């Protein structure tokens, strides 16, 4: 044991995986939906601005294990929350894989692009020690990135930072609780818990020169017990600088009939248990000339069922003007695909350099897939369907009575399937070693495990395989009249099934007859003995750009990588922006913390952003490594200020030049 180690601990406690949140009050008024061709599942209501905020530098906490390190589930929760209905990060696929197509191997080499800049972004240490250490250990980071006007903003669970275009931090790490005006995630002195803020995304809008930042927030009691209400928190800058003031809007998404929401009859714990709140999981954002859009995957909050993707549409100009009230139009996609299937992860498009689609009174496009168990369990997690969506007459969002219409069409594409877990190169995993150790002297008795648990674990933890996603659509862009997107899929490369990527390029058209779409490009990206996960495509208005992703496998620690990408021909050779230095070694990898089988959280998404003639990207990777001896040198888990006791994920931000 390292000298002085015991001084960093009080009494030991068992750690349990859980998440929590609280509430902030907002005024609401229901506005009747416009009489139009909009479907019956449309709901328009009015929300009020909920104050202002700004990015404030917060102090950093000190190293050492504190109880609780992971948000725990209190006994006074409104209803039982289990692994099957985890509060956020839902996936009913549950690590099960499908039958992937065969694909050729893509080589590694020179990307042919000019790499302008690459630097380390936010990491787990930044997250855990932000706001004086009044934070929890969290996995995964959930990668958000937005760039414009000489600024680079990165946001992850549950912190953000702003850099200049040279990669210099301008303020320092800010926790999202502070940014949204909430009390800390946990007060380490009193134990009182604030909201659990999750799934961050951000966007810089060239047209309005405003910054948009979105999270999902879950309301709780001060003990951390879930109440059920949850809301999308949207912050919009008042100026073209993210360092100035922002206006906050909070949109309730529990859809139980309260606070102006529709009632989607989510169960409390399955059929026959009564009804309660829904959950607006996995929010993602997009914009066109007229509107700003957020989509969610709606589940029962306390029950197991998936409902449908939800779409929330706002007037972009009203948000940019910091209006005291704004209308939000919600569309429920239940039964919207082929008359019986719900939408799932209906990802909104972001237009390259502000080149929006203007047909049909303004159009916003979306892409989605349907192999996930949530909507297509009978297909055994495989599909050949790509669903293209168009939201038309978006200019009406600026009127007193929004009248928007959502349509979709299905294209046939190459088969995709839920990918297997991703193996990683063997290396030093000191957290695993700590759980398995039974001899190290500690203040609580022999065994490093004593620092985390009151009940002795099985001491049989193994190096983890990482979650590879579940075929849900990833980032979508609209560029030069085409939609581009990608998803995670099982691929057979040289006879071995592993995690790979399928990409799509679609030319959509809205006519008086409805939505039409043509598949203009489609293919795979895979590599021998290598997993490629969580793709994000960024292309300019000419269709040229990059595909960013995490790369890992038998010979690779989790690394930040990318490939040049063209909307017609697809990706080129793979380039590693930052090679991983060690394996993932976080708490979600181990049965002792999360139960069997563990779901090693990764992603849940990456980011790629067009900024003029350059493209910025951010992906999760592992940027540190240390031995068990270094890990157990006081303070426990710090490894020379490179990680924390329960996590070692990091992110990498890279800029490449594409040209005009």
């Amino acid at each position: 044991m390292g000298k002085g180690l015991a001084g960093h601990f009080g009494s030991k406690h068992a750690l349990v995986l859980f998440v929590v949140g609280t509430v902030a009050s907002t005024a609401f008024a229901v506005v009747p939906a416009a009489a139009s061709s909009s479907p019956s599942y449309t709901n328009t209501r009015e929300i009020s601005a909920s104050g202002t905020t700004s990015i404030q530098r917060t102090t950093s906490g000190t190293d050492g294990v504190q109880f609780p390190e992971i948000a725990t589930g209190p006994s006074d929760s409104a209803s039982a929350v289990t692994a099957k209905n985890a509060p956020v990060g839902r996936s009913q696929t549950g690590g099960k894989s499908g039958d992937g197509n065969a694909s050729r191997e893509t080589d590694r080499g020179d990307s042919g692009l000019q790499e302008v800049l690459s630097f380390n972004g936010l990491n787990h240490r930044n997250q855990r020690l932000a706001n004086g250490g009044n934070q929890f250990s969290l996995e995964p980071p959930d990668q958000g990135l937005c760039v414009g006007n000489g600024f680079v903003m990165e946001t992850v669970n549950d912190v953000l930072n702003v850099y200049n275009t040279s990669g210099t931090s301008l303020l320092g790490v800010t926790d999202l609780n502070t940014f949204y005006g909430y009390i800390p995630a946990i007060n380490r002195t009193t134990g009182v818990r604030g909201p659990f803020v999750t799934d961050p995304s951000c966007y810089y809008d060239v047209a309005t020169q405003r910054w948009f930042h979105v999270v999902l927030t879950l309301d709780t009691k001060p003990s951390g017990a879930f109440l059920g209400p949850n809301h999308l928190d949207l912050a919009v800058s008042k100026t073209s600088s993210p360092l100035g003031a922002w206006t906050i809007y909070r949109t309730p998404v529990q859809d139980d009939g309260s606070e102006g929401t529709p009632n989607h009859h989510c169960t409390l714990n399955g059929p026959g248990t009564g009804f309660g709140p829904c959950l607006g999981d996995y929010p993602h954002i997009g914009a066109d000339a007229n509107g700003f859009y957020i989509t969610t995957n709606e589940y029962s909050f306390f029950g197991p069922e998936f409902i449908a993707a939800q779409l929330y549409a706002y007037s972009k100009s009203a948000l940019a003007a910091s209006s005291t009230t704004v209308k939000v139009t919600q569309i429920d996609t239940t039964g919207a695909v082929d008359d019986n299937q719900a939408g799932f992860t209906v990802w909104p498009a972001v237009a390259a350099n502000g080149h929006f689609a203007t047909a049909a009174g303004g159009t916003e496009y979306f892409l989605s897939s349907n192999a996930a168990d949530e909507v297509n369990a009978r297909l055994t997690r495989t599909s050949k369907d790509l669903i293209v969506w168009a939201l038309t007459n978006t200019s009406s969002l600026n009127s007193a009575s929004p009248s928007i219409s959502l349509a979709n069409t299905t294209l046939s594409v190459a088969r995709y399937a839920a990918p297997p877990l991703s193996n990683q190169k063997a290396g030093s995993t000191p957290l695993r070693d700590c759980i398995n150790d039974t001899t190290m002297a500690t203040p609580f008795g022999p065994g490093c495990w004593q620092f985390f648990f009151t009940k002795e674990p099985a001491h049989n933890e193994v190096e983890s395989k990482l979650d590879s996603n579940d075929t849900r659509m990833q980032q979508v862009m609209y560029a030069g009249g085409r939609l581009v997107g990608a998803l995670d899929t099982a691929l057979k490369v040289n006879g071995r099934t592993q995690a790979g990527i399928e990409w799509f390029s679609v030319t959509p058209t809205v006519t008086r007859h409805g939505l039409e779409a043509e598949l203009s490009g489609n293919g795979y990206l895979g590599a021998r003995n290598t997993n490629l996960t969580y793709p994000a495509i960024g292309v300019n208005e000419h269709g040229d750009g990059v595909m960013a992703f995490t790369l890992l496998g038998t010979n690779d620690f989790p690394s930040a990588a990318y490939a040049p990408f063209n909307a017609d021909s697809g990706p080129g050779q793979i380039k590693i922006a930052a090679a991983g230095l060690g394996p993932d070694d976080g708490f979600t990898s181990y049965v002792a913390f999360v139960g069997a089988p563990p779901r090693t959280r990764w992603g849940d998404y990456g980011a790629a952003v067009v900024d003029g003639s350059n493209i910025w990207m951010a992906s999760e990777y592992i940027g540190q490594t240390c031995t068990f001896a270094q890990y157990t040198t006081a303070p426990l888990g710090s490894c020379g200020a490179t990680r924390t006791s329960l996590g070692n994920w990091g992110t990498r931000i890279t800029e490449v030049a594409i040209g005009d």
Side-chain angles (χ1 to χ4, degrees):
M1 181 176 70
K3 183 178 180 181
L5 186 63
H8 293 268
F9 302 89
S11 60
K12 65 173 182 174
H13 299 269
L15 301 182
V16 183
L17 176 64
F18 221 62
V19 293
V20 297
T22 80
V23 64
S25 61
T26 306
F28 301 91
V30 177
V31 180
S36 69
S37 59
S38 297
S40 59
Y41 45 78
T42 298
N43 170 281
T44 299
R45 57 192 188 268
E46 195 169 77
I47 60 173
S48 300
S50 186
T52 60
T53 189
S54 61
I55 300 173
Q56 302 290 328
R57 183 194 303 270
T58 63
T59 60
S60 181
T62 57
D63 284 294
V65 178
Q66 294 176 284
F67 173 77
E69 272 295 327
I70 308 166
T72 55
S75 59
D76 58 341
S77 290
S79 183
V81 179
T82 68
K84 292 184 179 180
N85 62 345
V88 292
R90 300 273 186 103
S91 174
Q92 293 184 355
T93 300
K96 297 170 291 205
S97 60
D99 182 23
N101 251 356
S103 172
R104 66 177 179 84
E105 178 182 3
T106 301
D107 295 329
R108 304 187 197 186
D110 187 353
S111 69
L113 302 176
Q114 178 189 353
E115 195 168 293
V116 179
L117 181 69
S118 188
F119 63 96
N120 284 332
L122 294 163
N123 59 34
H124 186 266
R125 183 176 174 82
N126 297 141
Q127 143 63 33
R128 174 58 183 86
L129 299 184
N131 196 13
N134 292 305
Q135 297 267 93
F136 290 109
S137 290
L138 289 178
E139 293 186 323
D142 292 353
Q143 182 73 64
L145 185 73
C146 43
V147 182
N149 197 31
F151 298 99
V152 179
M153 175 186 285
E154 183 189 21
T155 183
V156 301
N157 276 335
D158 254 342
V159 288
L160 64 82
N161 202 356
V162 179
Y163 313 88
N164 63 23
T165 52
S166 297
T168 301
S169 176
L170 299 179
L171 286 177
V173 178
T174 300
D175 68 293
L176 298 184
N177 286 60
T178 296
F179 179 65
Y180 279 99
Y182 295 119
I183 63 174
I186 181 171
N187 184 309
R188 290 292 175 186
T189 300
T190 66
V192 171
R193 301 187 189 183
F196 185 86
V197 180
T198 189
D199 287 348
S201 296
C202 67
Y203 166 70
Y204 175 72
D205 186 66
V206 173
T208 60
Q209 296 187 39
R210 292 294 184 268
W211 299 77
F212 296 77
H213 189 283
V214 172
V215 295
L216 169 67
T217 301
L218 279 62
D219 293 352
T220 68
K221 298 177 182 180
S223 65
F226 290 102
L227 294 171
N230 55 109
H231 36 99
L232 297 172
D233 290 351
L234 164 60
V236 184
S237 71
K238 289 176 173 285
T239 70
S240 60
S241 170
L243 304 181
W246 299 60
T247 302
I248 297 175
Y249 301 90
R250 308 191 200 276
T251 303
V253 294
Q254 61 264 24
D255 288 352
D256 59 359
S258 66
E259 297 187 280
T261 64
N263 194 336
H264 291 170
H265 299 97
C266 290
T267 69
L268 283 173
N269 194 23
T273 60
F275 299 108
C278 305
L279 171 72
D281 194 32
Y282 206 66
H284 287 290
I285 61 180
D288 71 349
N290 307 298
F292 180 78
Y293 309 98
I294 309 174
T295 60
T296 66
N297 283 335
E298 184 169 275
Y299 296 83
S300 168
F301 193 109
F302 296 115
E305 72 269 16
F306 172 73
I307 307 302
Q310 306 295 312
L311 163 64
Y312 300 86
Y314 307 76
S315 165
K316 190 170 68 175
S317 61
L319 293 172
S322 296
S323 300
T324 55
T325 59
V326 298
K327 290 183 176 65
V328 55
T329 299
Q330 176 182 351
I331 300 180
D332 175 16
T333 68
T334 298
V337 180
D338 297 330
D339 297 324
N340 60 11
Q341 217 177 78
F344 177 69
T345 313
V346 180
W347 198 301
V350 171
N353 288 322
H355 291 265
F356 304 111
T358 57
T363 300
E364 169 68 3
Y365 291 107
F366 311 73
L367 291 177
S368 68
S369 61
N370 67 351
D373 282 0
E374 277 82 346
V375 292
N376 232 348
R378 64 183 176 82
L379 293 183
T380 61
R381 297 168 293 283
T382 66
S383 180
K384 294 182 179 180
D385 293 339
L386 176 68
I387 301 96
V388 184
W389 305 73
L391 184 72
T392 54
N393 198 32
T394 62
S395 58
S396 71
L397 292 170
N398 298 318
S399 71
S401 299
S403 180
I404 53 178
S405 182
L406 183 66
N408 69 75
T409 187
T410 301
L411 297 178
S412 180
V413 298
R415 187 174 76 237
Y416 54 88
L421 299 177
S422 293
N423 68 307
Q424 57 180 335
K425 181 179 178 180
S428 180
T429 51
L431 175 56
R432 178 191 66 165
D433 296 341
C434 183
I435 300 169
N436 290 341
D437 176 73
T438 60
T439 61
M440 173 181 160
T442 80
F444 317 109
C448 184
W449 66 269
Q450 301 267 8
F451 288 113
F452 299 113
F453 308 102
T454 53
K455 182 179 179 181
E456 187 169 2
H459 308 304
N460 58 359
E461 303 286 1
V462 298
E463 184 179 86
S464 64
K465 294 184 177 181
L466 278 59
D467 184 78
S468 306
N469 216 343
D470 59 1
T471 73
R472 66 183 66 195
M473 185 58 61
Q474 297 292 278
Q475 181 174 299
V476 176
M477 287 206 70
Y478 178 75
R482 285 169 293 190
L483 286 170
V484 292
L487 50 74
D488 295 284
T489 183
L491 278 186
K492 293 177 182 175
V493 181
N494 293 316
R496 178 177 177 178
T497 299
Q498 56 199 43
I501 296 167
E502 183 170 359
W503 62 271
F504 315 95
S505 178
V506 175
T507 303
T509 307
V510 176
T511 71
R512 61 188 179 89
H513 302 294
L515 171 63
E516 299 176 359
E518 178 183 353
L519 189 66
S520 50
N522 179 207
Y524 298 112
L525 182 67
R528 183 196 299 257
N529 296 323
T530 306
N531 302 285
L532 310 177
T533 64
Y534 297 96
I537 297 176
V539 293
N540 62 18
E541 51 270 39
H542 306 296
D544 296 317
V546 298
M547 177 193 289
F549 44 86
T550 292
L551 178 153
L552 68 160
T554 304
N555 302 310
D556 296 278
F557 299 123
S559 304
Y562 65 92
F565 183 88
N566 176 270
D568 292 319
S569 58
Q573 287 189 319
I574 294 170
K575 167 77 171 180
I576 294 181
L581 301 180
D584 176 74
D585 183 44
F587 69 93
T588 60
S589 297
Y590 302 121
V591 173
F593 287 113
V594 300
R599 179 186 173 198
T600 299
R601 299 301 304 277
W602 195 262
D604 284 327
Y605 40 89
V609 181
V610 180
D611 181 33
S613 60
N614 290 4
I615 293 181
W616 295 76
M617 61 194 119
S619 299
E620 186 177 0
Y621 90 122
I622 299 298
Q624 72 82 233
T625 188
C626 61
T627 65
F628 181 62
Q630 292 169 322
Y631 178 90
T632 53
T633 299
L636 182 77
S638 172
C639 289
T642 64
R643 60 166 293 165
T644 68
S645 60
L646 292 189
N648 69 330
W649 56 258
T651 65
R652 187 74 174 191
I653 300 173
T654 302
E655 178 191 14
V656 296
I658 300 298
D660 297 326

